[in-house]
Amino acid sequence: GDSVTQTEGLVTLTKGLPVMLNCTYQTTYSPFLFWYVQHLNEAPKLLLKSSTDNKRTEHQGFYATLHKSSSSFHLQKSSVQLSDSALYFCALSEMSNYNVLYFGSGTKLTVEP
Amino acid sequence: DTTVKQNPRYKLARVGKPVNLICSQTMNHDTMYWYQKKPNQAPKLLLFYYDKILNREADTFEKFQSSRPNNSFCSLYIGSAGLEYSAMYLCASSRDRGNQDTQYFGPGTRLLVL
Protein backbone atom coordinates (compact mmCIF):
# COMPACT_ATOMS: atom_id res chain seq x y z
CA GLY A 1 0.00 0.00 0.00
CA ASP A 2 0.88 3.66 -0.09
CA SER A 3 3.26 4.97 2.55
CA VAL A 4 5.53 7.89 3.40
CA THR A 5 8.73 7.73 5.40
CA GLN A 6 10.36 10.62 7.21
CA THR A 7 13.58 9.38 8.73
CA GLU A 8 14.30 12.25 11.13
CA GLY A 9 12.00 12.69 14.06
CA LEU A 10 13.91 15.61 15.51
CA VAL A 11 16.24 18.11 13.88
CA THR A 12 17.93 20.89 15.83
CA LEU A 13 19.87 23.59 14.01
CA THR A 14 21.42 26.97 14.61
CA LYS A 15 19.88 29.95 12.86
CA GLY A 16 21.35 30.63 9.45
CA LEU A 17 22.32 27.06 8.65
CA PRO A 18 20.84 25.03 5.78
CA VAL A 19 18.38 22.22 6.40
CA MET A 20 17.14 19.20 4.51
CA LEU A 21 14.25 17.13 5.78
CA ASN A 22 13.98 13.73 4.16
CA CYS A 23 10.85 12.30 2.63
CA THR A 24 10.52 9.10 0.63
CA TYR A 25 7.33 7.47 -0.49
CA GLN A 26 5.94 4.25 -1.84
CA THR A 27 3.06 3.99 -4.27
CA THR A 28 2.11 2.10 -7.38
CA TYR A 29 0.16 5.06 -8.74
CA SER A 30 1.15 8.45 -10.04
CA PRO A 31 2.09 10.46 -6.93
CA PHE A 32 1.24 13.94 -5.73
CA LEU A 33 3.47 15.04 -2.86
CA PHE A 34 2.84 17.69 -0.22
CA TRP A 35 4.74 19.30 2.62
CA TYR A 36 2.67 20.65 5.50
CA VAL A 37 4.01 22.75 8.36
CA GLN A 38 2.44 22.95 11.79
CA HIS A 39 3.52 25.60 14.24
CA LEU A 40 2.79 25.15 17.93
CA ASN A 41 -0.94 25.26 18.70
CA GLU A 42 -1.79 26.05 15.08
CA ALA A 43 -3.36 24.14 12.23
CA PRO A 44 -1.15 22.32 9.72
CA LYS A 45 -0.74 24.50 6.63
CA LEU A 46 0.33 23.63 3.13
CA LEU A 47 3.91 24.63 2.39
CA LEU A 48 4.62 22.98 -0.97
CA LYS A 49 3.08 20.54 -3.38
CA SER A 50 4.18 18.89 -6.60
CA SER A 51 3.43 16.12 -9.03
CA THR A 52 5.97 17.10 -11.67
CA ASP A 53 9.07 14.98 -11.89
CA ASN A 54 12.42 16.76 -11.50
CA LYS A 55 10.90 20.22 -11.16
CA ARG A 56 11.81 22.39 -8.15
CA THR A 57 8.90 23.88 -6.23
CA GLU A 58 9.49 26.86 -3.91
CA HIS A 59 7.54 28.74 -1.29
CA GLN A 60 8.54 30.99 1.60
CA GLY A 61 12.21 30.17 1.14
CA PHE A 62 11.62 26.41 1.25
CA TYR A 63 12.04 24.25 -1.82
CA ALA A 64 11.63 20.64 -2.84
CA THR A 65 12.03 18.57 -5.99
CA LEU A 66 10.02 15.46 -6.72
CA HIS A 67 12.29 12.68 -7.96
CA LYS A 68 10.21 9.76 -9.12
CA SER A 69 13.32 7.71 -9.87
CA SER A 70 14.22 7.67 -6.19
CA SER A 71 10.68 8.19 -4.81
CA SER A 72 11.81 11.23 -2.88
CA PHE A 73 10.55 14.72 -2.09
CA HIS A 74 13.06 16.21 0.36
CA LEU A 75 12.39 19.65 1.83
CA GLN A 76 15.24 22.15 1.90
CA LYS A 77 16.02 25.67 2.96
CA SER A 78 19.33 27.43 2.58
CA SER A 79 19.18 29.45 5.80
CA VAL A 80 16.77 28.59 8.61
CA GLN A 81 15.20 31.21 10.84
CA LEU A 82 13.86 31.00 14.39
CA SER A 83 10.33 31.20 12.98
CA ASP A 84 10.91 27.97 11.03
CA SER A 85 10.71 25.98 14.26
CA ALA A 86 7.72 23.72 13.68
CA LEU A 87 6.54 20.22 12.86
CA TYR A 88 6.89 19.32 9.19
CA PHE A 89 4.82 16.59 7.56
CA CYS A 90 5.37 15.02 4.18
CA ALA A 91 2.24 13.57 2.60
CA LEU A 92 1.34 11.57 -0.49
CA SER A 93 -1.82 11.57 -2.54
CA GLU A 94 -2.25 9.10 -5.33
CA MET A 95 -4.02 9.48 -8.64
CA SER A 96 -7.30 7.96 -7.65
CA ASN A 97 -10.86 9.10 -7.17
CA TYR A 98 -10.42 10.55 -3.74
CA ASN A 99 -7.99 13.01 -2.23
CA VAL A 100 -6.75 10.70 0.51
CA LEU A 101 -3.48 11.83 2.11
CA TYR A 102 -0.92 9.40 3.49
CA PHE A 103 1.29 11.19 5.98
CA GLY A 104 4.77 10.59 7.26
CA SER A 105 5.28 10.66 11.00
CA GLY A 106 6.65 14.19 10.89
CA THR A 107 9.93 15.95 11.63
CA LYS A 108 10.16 18.44 14.44
CA LEU A 109 12.54 21.23 13.48
CA THR A 110 13.95 23.38 16.25
CA VAL A 111 16.02 26.41 15.30
CA GLU A 112 18.23 27.86 18.00
CA PRO A 113 19.73 31.37 18.17
CA ASP B 1 -11.15 32.93 4.57
CA THR B 2 -9.48 29.53 4.58
CA THR B 3 -10.21 28.79 8.20
CA VAL B 4 -11.35 25.42 9.43
CA LYS B 5 -12.65 25.56 12.97
CA GLN B 6 -12.78 22.79 15.51
CA ASN B 7 -14.60 22.59 18.81
CA PRO B 8 -13.68 21.99 21.47
CA ARG B 9 -9.90 22.45 21.33
CA TYR B 10 -9.45 20.21 24.36
CA LYS B 11 -11.73 17.44 25.56
CA LEU B 12 -11.51 15.29 28.65
CA ALA B 13 -13.66 12.15 28.55
CA ARG B 14 -14.24 9.17 30.79
CA VAL B 15 -13.83 5.62 29.61
CA GLY B 16 -17.11 4.30 28.29
CA LYS B 17 -18.65 7.73 27.70
CA PRO B 18 -19.54 9.19 24.31
CA VAL B 19 -17.53 11.95 22.66
CA ASN B 20 -18.67 14.32 19.94
CA LEU B 21 -16.23 16.58 18.12
CA ILE B 22 -17.29 19.35 15.78
CA CYS B 23 -15.68 20.81 12.68
CA SER B 24 -16.83 23.68 10.49
CA GLN B 25 -15.68 25.49 7.37
CA THR B 26 -17.15 28.35 5.36
CA MET B 27 -15.28 27.76 2.12
CA ASN B 28 -18.12 25.72 0.59
CA HIS B 29 -15.77 22.78 0.26
CA ASP B 30 -17.27 19.53 -0.96
CA THR B 31 -15.00 17.23 1.02
CA MET B 32 -14.34 17.09 4.76
CA TYR B 33 -11.93 14.71 6.49
CA TRP B 34 -11.14 13.48 9.98
CA TYR B 35 -7.63 12.35 10.95
CA GLN B 36 -6.33 10.91 14.19
CA LYS B 37 -2.82 11.75 15.29
CA LYS B 38 -0.99 10.14 18.19
CA PRO B 39 2.43 11.28 19.45
CA ASN B 40 5.31 10.33 17.14
CA GLN B 41 2.91 8.82 14.65
CA ALA B 42 1.64 9.97 11.29
CA PRO B 43 -1.84 11.47 11.08
CA LYS B 44 -4.17 8.66 10.10
CA LEU B 45 -7.29 9.15 8.01
CA LEU B 46 -10.40 7.94 9.82
CA LEU B 47 -13.14 8.92 7.41
CA PHE B 48 -14.23 11.57 4.97
CA TYR B 49 -17.36 13.00 3.42
CA TYR B 50 -17.57 13.84 -0.22
CA ASP B 51 -20.74 15.93 -0.30
CA LYS B 52 -23.18 13.68 1.58
CA ILE B 53 -21.33 10.44 0.94
CA LEU B 54 -19.44 9.05 3.90
CA ASN B 55 -16.31 6.97 3.35
CA ARG B 56 -14.80 5.19 6.33
CA GLU B 57 -11.46 3.44 6.52
CA ALA B 58 -11.81 -0.31 6.96
CA ASP B 59 -9.80 -0.58 10.18
CA THR B 60 -11.71 2.17 11.97
CA PHE B 61 -15.10 1.43 10.52
CA GLU B 62 -16.76 0.40 13.75
CA LYS B 63 -14.94 2.80 16.07
CA PHE B 64 -16.00 6.15 14.66
CA GLN B 65 -19.19 7.60 13.29
CA SER B 66 -19.80 10.89 11.60
CA SER B 67 -22.52 13.14 10.34
CA ARG B 68 -22.62 16.08 7.99
CA PRO B 69 -25.92 17.92 8.43
CA ASN B 70 -24.93 20.58 5.91
CA ASN B 71 -21.99 21.58 3.74
CA SER B 72 -20.30 23.55 6.51
CA PHE B 73 -20.38 21.18 9.46
CA CYS B 74 -19.03 17.73 10.14
CA SER B 75 -18.93 15.82 13.40
CA LEU B 76 -16.90 12.90 14.67
CA TYR B 77 -18.66 10.66 17.16
CA ILE B 78 -17.23 8.05 19.49
CA GLY B 79 -19.97 5.99 21.10
CA SER B 80 -17.92 4.60 23.97
CA ALA B 81 -14.48 6.09 24.49
CA GLY B 82 -11.58 3.86 25.39
CA LEU B 83 -8.09 4.79 26.53
CA GLU B 84 -6.81 4.12 23.01
CA TYR B 85 -8.87 7.02 21.68
CA SER B 86 -6.64 9.56 23.41
CA ALA B 87 -5.14 11.52 20.53
CA MET B 88 -5.26 14.72 18.53
CA TYR B 89 -8.15 14.77 16.06
CA LEU B 90 -7.61 16.90 12.99
CA CYS B 91 -10.37 18.01 10.67
CA ALA B 92 -9.64 19.11 7.11
CA SER B 93 -11.55 20.18 4.04
CA SER B 94 -10.84 20.42 0.34
CA ARG B 95 -12.67 22.03 -2.53
CA ASP B 96 -13.12 18.82 -4.42
CA ARG B 97 -11.87 15.25 -4.22
CA GLY B 98 -9.08 15.43 -6.77
CA ASN B 99 -5.68 14.35 -5.53
CA GLN B 100 -4.19 17.75 -6.32
CA ASP B 101 -6.64 19.67 -4.15
CA THR B 102 -5.13 21.28 -1.09
CA GLN B 103 -6.54 20.15 2.21
CA TYR B 104 -7.07 22.92 4.73
CA PHE B 105 -6.72 21.81 8.33
CA GLY B 106 -8.21 22.94 11.58
CA PRO B 107 -6.06 23.35 14.71
CA GLY B 108 -7.24 20.03 16.10
CA THR B 109 -9.04 18.76 19.18
CA ARG B 110 -6.89 17.11 21.78
CA LEU B 111 -8.87 14.29 23.38
CA LEU B 112 -7.77 12.72 26.62
CA VAL B 113 -9.67 9.68 27.82
CA LEU B 114 -9.32 8.72 31.48
Side-chain angles (χ1 to χ4, degrees), chain A residues 30-32 34 36 38 41-46 49 87 89 93-106, chain B residues 9-10 33 35 37 40-43 45 48 50 53 55 57 90 94 96-107:
Chain A
S30 184
F32 209 109
F34 302 79
Y36 279 86
Q38 184 177 24
N41 295 323
E42 294 184 11
K45 293 177 183 174
L46 179 69
K49 63 179 181 179
L87 188 55
F89 291 103
S93 178
E94 54 161 83
M95 189 69 72
S96 65
N97 286 332
Y98 294 106
N99 187 10
V100 175
L101 285 178
Y102 299 90
F103 281 90
S105 54
Chain B
R9 292 293 307 274
Y10 301 91
Y33 312 79
Y35 292 86
K37 188 185 180 319
N40 301 317
Q41 296 183 20
L45 180 69
F48 66 94
Y50 174 64
I53 302 170
N55 297 268
E57 293 294 286
L90 294 166
S94 66
D96 204 334
R97 60 180 188 177
N99 75 326
Q100 73 280 14
D101 286 339
T102 299
Q103 291 191 21
Y104 296 88
F105 283 84

Side-chain angles (χ1 to χ4, degrees), chain B residues 10-54:
Chain B
Y10 301 91
K11 174 73 177 176
L12 182 63
R14 297 294 180 187
V15 170
K17 297 297 184 182
V19 175
N20 196 44
L21 307 181
I22 303 295
C23 176
S24 66
Q25 51 88 14
T26 56
M27 296 174 278
N28 201 32
H29 282 174
D30 282 337
T31 311
M32 295 184 75
Y33 312 79
W34 281 101
Y35 292 86
Q36 181 192 63
K37 188 185 180 319
K38 295 186 175 182
N40 301 317
Q41 296 183 20
K44 183 183 183 307
L45 180 69
L46 299 175
L47 53 87
F48 66 94
Y49 266 98
Y50 174 64
D51 195 13
K52 293 182 173 62
I53 302 170
L54 175 61

